[in-house]
Each structure stands twice: as structure tokens, then as C-alpha cells.
Amino acid sequence: MIDLTKNLAAVTRRTKASVIRELLKLTNKPEIISFAGGLPDPHAFPVEAVTEICAKVLRESAHEALQYGETEGCSRLKVEIIKTLCEEEGLSVKPENLLITTASQQSLDLVGRVFIDPDDPIIVELPSYLGALQVFKSYGGAMMGVRSDDLGMRTDDLESKLKKLKSDEEHYKFIYVVPDFQNPAGVTLTQERREDLVRLATQYDVMVIEDSPYRQVRFEGTAPSMLQKLDPSGNVMSLFTFSKVFAPGFRLGYIVGHEALIRKMTILKQSMDLCSSAFAQLVAAEFMRGGYYAAHVKKVVDIYRTKKDCMLEALARYMPEGVTWTRPEGGLFLWLRLPEKMDADALFPEAIKENVAYVIGSAFHCDGTGHNTMRLNFSYSTEEKIDEGIRRLANVFKKNWQA
Ligand SMILES: Cc1ncc(COP(=O)(O)O)c(C=O)c1O
């Protein structure tokens, strides 16, 4: 065996295992109630519709479905996506502004490849999506965290960070933000802050990467504008995925952005996988064209709203005073805060002993803070298990209480 310390490429040496993927291995036991993963409810998968559509696609378009496709993506799917973006978001998107990807994790990798040189400062939220931090670090990006609160990324903190980077003549590249029902905190960036963010991005000449897998999973309230809509100049790239409202097993997503950047990403994608699955794309296109998608989003929203309410009720019932949490208007997660003196990392093994799991909040903080926080997923477990899991978690906190 070769000496791996000498022969591995820098990008491989920099890429660390995802804390979530490692933790999930511990939480796989059937007796554990897991609030750790970001998994959709498997009982909500549209099995019947997908069965019918797969048969139809094979009957009518097998030669296209089982063949290699264009790297840019299949035009039938693009047509449906463009129509939806126009109707739901008021966006005017042309096929050359759109790249179909093998889900958003690949889109994030493409973002990393296109923009990051080692040591480039990359602006992210505190906390931010772990899978993005992992990619950006693997390309050598130097994470710079901007504080956020219950209204999303704090644009006052963003402005001071940008000012500092500019005065230091740093080569900062992009701001990465999850504006809708954020993973991990479940918070949504307000309209006012969206406008501020886009204004600051123009003023400081920096790209914005808007990663929005949960936007359609809205339980209540009205949606603020997409950042893409607020800045049609091409400074915003938006990432979408079919994972959360269709099925992650399809591994399909898409990027909307300026034609020149989409072209660059298409060339890079050629070397990654040639194209995303043509079969999956044709099934997704038919799922959208036949009206199944809109009906399915409605179903999923109803299911997750009920589960979110169930988790909020259980938290109110069992948690000791001093524990606080966010109240998401949509998405799959909420965020829990313990008193400052408590350490969610240290409590994790205790929770596992009690057969309940969460993701430690510090993993989402690029600056190592957030030790007293954790992410809880409410989409995966049944209502019964949500209630029981929150009761167990509250007991762990009470046993180890430090105010
Ligand atoms: C914010 C965010 N971006 C990207 C992804 C990746 O999703 P996928 O690759 O399944 O599209 C996730 C998954 O949880 C996510 O929460």
C-alpha cells in the first residue's frame, strides 16, 4: 500500500468526514428515536404516482430515458422548471440560465470548483449548512461566519465583515445563504434583510449563493421574494433540489444563474458525471407536467406542519425553563438553545444512552461556537415518537442541568 500521507492530493487531505454522516451511523439502531438526519418522511413518498410514471416513461421514451443525456439537462424537465419558476416566483429564466444537477450537494461542489482558490474568504451564516461548509473547506476556502438571529443572517454584521475584507484587500468570492427555513436553524430571512443583502452584494461586488431546498415547504405566512428575484443582474445563483418535496433517491436538483456561469459549471459537470440521470429527469418532468408535483407539495406541507406542531407542543410540555427554540414557518428543522453553561456536544452520548439523537449545533458553526445549541428534525419520526423523543431529551437535560 502506498504512503497515504505523501500521495494524497491537497483537496482529499482537506476533506473531512461530515459530522452528521458519522453521527447518523450511531443513530441507526431501531431503538433510537432520531431527530438527527434531514430525512423526508418515507411514508410520504409518492410511490404510486412514481410507479405509474416510470412505466409511462419506459413505454413512451425508453430510448431517451436509458441513454446518456446532455450535460445541461433534459429539455423536457427544463420546460417544466422554467414554467414553475415563472408562475411561483415571478422569475424569467431561459434554458441557458439553468443547469440540471445530481442534486444540490453536487451544485454546491460546482460552486466550490467555480469560485474557490485556497485561502479565499467565504462568507457563511453562523450557523450554516454543514454539507456546504464541508465542500467549501475541501476547496481550501477560509470560512468567515456572519451572525444570525431569528430573522436570518444579520445584515449589519455582514456589512461590517464586508467592510473589513475590502479594507484588507482580501479576494472574497461569495456569500452563501440558506434564506428559507434554514438548515439548521429553521429561520427565514426577512424581506427587509433580503433587500439589504442584495444591496450590500452589489455595493461590495460579491456573488450571492442562495441555497433553497425548503422554499416550497411553507406552513404559514407569506413568502418573501427570492434573492434571485431581487437581483436579476446575474449576481445571485440559486440552488434548488427535488430531494425534500419529491424524493432524495432521485438525486436531482438545478441551478439558476447567469448564462456565463452556468456555461462554466456545465463544463465542470462534464468531468464529474457527464450528465444527471436521463431516466430520473424524465420521471421528474412528467411528475411536474401531470400536476402530481403541486399536489404532492401540498400533501407534504400538511404532514410536516402537523409534525412541527407536535414537536412544538412536546417541547412546551416537557422542556425545563431556560431551554428555548425557534418556531419555523416551514421546512424540516428547528433549533434548540440550552443555557450558556451547558454543552450539547458533551450531552450527546448521554442522549444516545437514553435512545434519542440530535445533531450538535457546534458542527454548523465555522468558528467553533454554538456549544449550547442543537438541530432537531421533525419530518422523519412519527408523531408518537416525536412526543416520546422530546420527553427523553428533556430528561437528559434535567439530569445534567446547569443554569
Ligand atoms: C441547505 C441544503 N443544501 C443542500 C442540501 C443537499 O441536498 P441534496 O443533495 O439532496 O439536494 C441539503 C440537504 O439537506 C440542504 O439542507
Side-chain angles (χ1 to χ4, degrees):
M1 180 68 185
I2 56 161
D3 178 354
L4 293 184
T5 54
K6 281 198 229 141
N7 292 288
L8 294 180
V11 66
T12 312
R13 280 186 267 119
R14 279 194 301 258
T15 307
K16 300 281 179 284
S18 148
V19 175
I20 295 192
R21 301 245 137 233
E22 295 302 305
L23 288 184
L24 281 179
K25 285 186 204 157
L26 293 177
T27 65
N28 269 345
K29 293 188 228 142
E31 61 274 24
I32 289 193
I33 297 178
S34 178
F35 302 131
L39 309 185
D41 182 344
H43 303 291
F45 289 145
V47 180
E48 270 178 37
V50 172
T51 311
E52 261 173 49
I53 294 170
C54 285
K56 180 175 155 70
V57 165
L58 288 174
R59 236 181 6 253
E60 296 174 4
S61 316
H63 289 188
E64 192 184 342
L66 302 182
Q67 192 53 278
Y68 289 110
E70 288 175 30
T71 308
E72 287 81 355
C74 138
S75 55
R76 270 198 258 172
L77 180 57
K78 284 191 165 188
V79 167
E80 297 304 325
I81 291 171
I82 288 171
K83 206 166 110 214
T84 307
L85 289 175
C86 174
E87 286 169 7
E88 290 183 5
E89 305 293 351
L91 295 176
S92 142
V93 175
K94 296 199 204 82
E96 49 278 22
N97 300 123
L98 194 56
L99 174 63
I100 309 290
T101 62
T102 305
S104 279
Q105 199 58 38
Q106 183 181 62
S107 306
L108 288 167
D109 199 71
L110 284 165
V111 167
R113 284 197 198 203
V114 161
F115 290 112
I116 304 177
D117 286 320
D119 302 325
D120 283 342
I122 305 298
I123 302 167
V124 298
E125 294 164 277
L126 286 172
S128 188
Y129 170 54
L130 190 58
L133 298 179
Q134 190 190 25
V135 170
F136 302 157
K137 278 187 202 152
S138 75
Y139 286 105
M143 292 319 116
M144 173 169 268
V146 172
R147 282 196 289 274
S148 60
D149 57 24
D150 286 356
L151 309 180
M153 181 185 263
R154 277 185 39 193
T155 39
D156 57 340
D157 195 35
L158 174 66
E159 183 159 21
S160 61
K161 298 269 157 50
L162 285 169
K163 211 177 262 176
K164 169 101 178 61
L165 285 170
K166 190 165 185 177
S167 74
D168 292 349
E169 295 185 4
E170 290 274 10
H171 204 196
Y172 53 93
K173 296 286 180 66
F174 61 82
I175 303 164
Y176 171 73
V177 60
V178 182
D180 302 294
F181 323 122
Q182 198 230 22
N183 180 2
V187 299
T188 296
L189 191 65
T190 60
Q191 182 71 25
E192 200 182 332
R193 287 198 186 170
R194 285 173 196 241
E195 286 165 17
D196 278 353
L197 194 156
V198 164
R199 178 183 53 75
L200 288 169
T202 309
Q203 186 182 334
Y204 285 90
D205 200 21
V206 58
M207 286 288 302
V208 178
I209 309 298
E210 167 177 49
D211 185 7
S212 198
Y214 308 98
R215 184 160 170 90
Q216 286 166 311
V217 191
R218 172 168 282 280
F219 311 138
E220 60 209 33
T222 24
S225 317
M226 288 197 65
L227 298 171
Q228 179 74 237
K229 170 98 172 130
L230 293 174
D231 180 2
S233 74
N235 274 349
V236 179
M237 290 203 104
S238 307
L239 275 43
F240 300 89
T241 175
F242 285 94
S243 289
K244 308 296 171 173
V245 282
F246 182 32
F250 269 88
R251 309 309 299 137
L252 271 189
Y254 51 98
I255 308 178
V256 175
H258 190 279
E259 197 182 324
L261 281 168
I262 291 292
R263 180 78 197 125
K264 294 276 177 226
M265 287 185 159
T266 307
I267 296 166
L268 291 170
K269 182 176 157 67
Q270 286 167 0
S271 73
M272 291 165 102
D273 62 1
L274 301 178
C275 63
S276 298
S277 156
F279 182 58
Q281 291 184 64
L282 290 182
V283 173
E286 184 55 26
F287 197 72
M288 293 179 90
R289 195 201 60 78
Y292 302 93
Y293 189 82
H296 187 64
V297 169
K298 209 172 156 312
K299 177 179 154 189
V300 163
V301 165
D302 286 343
I303 295 173
Y304 295 169
R305 184 195 294 109
T306 307
K307 290 190 175 199
K308 178 266 300 176
D309 287 343
C310 172
M311 188 172 271
L312 288 179
E313 278 162 29
L315 287 165
R317 191 173 314 127
Y318 300 121
M319 283 297 156
E321 210 172 309
V323 179
T324 59
W325 49 88
T326 54
R327 309 184 134 266
E329 289 188 345
L332 270 58
F333 307 105
L334 61 77
W335 188 244
L336 194 128
R337 285 188 199 90
L338 296 169
E340 267 293 321
K341 277 194 187 153
M342 290 178 74
D343 184 348
D345 300 17
L347 287 179
F348 184 77
E350 302 300 314
I352 292 292
K353 271 190 224 152
E354 295 293 325
N355 288 328
V356 60
Y358 55 82
V359 183
I360 52 172
S362 57
F364 302 98
H365 287 76
C366 64
D367 63 353
T369 59
H371 66 278
N372 60 328
T373 60
M374 64 184 64
R375 185 189 79 176
L376 299 181
N377 163 272
F378 50 78
S379 59
Y380 182 70
S381 302
T382 60
E383 286 173 59
E384 252 179 11
K385 289 210 165 152
I386 290 176
D387 190 81
E388 173 58 17
I390 296 295
R391 193 188 65 76
R392 290 182 195 172
L393 204 52
N395 284 344
V396 173
F397 300 159
K398 284 175 198 163
K399 268 195 222 158
N400 297 277
W401 193 252
Q402 277 181 291

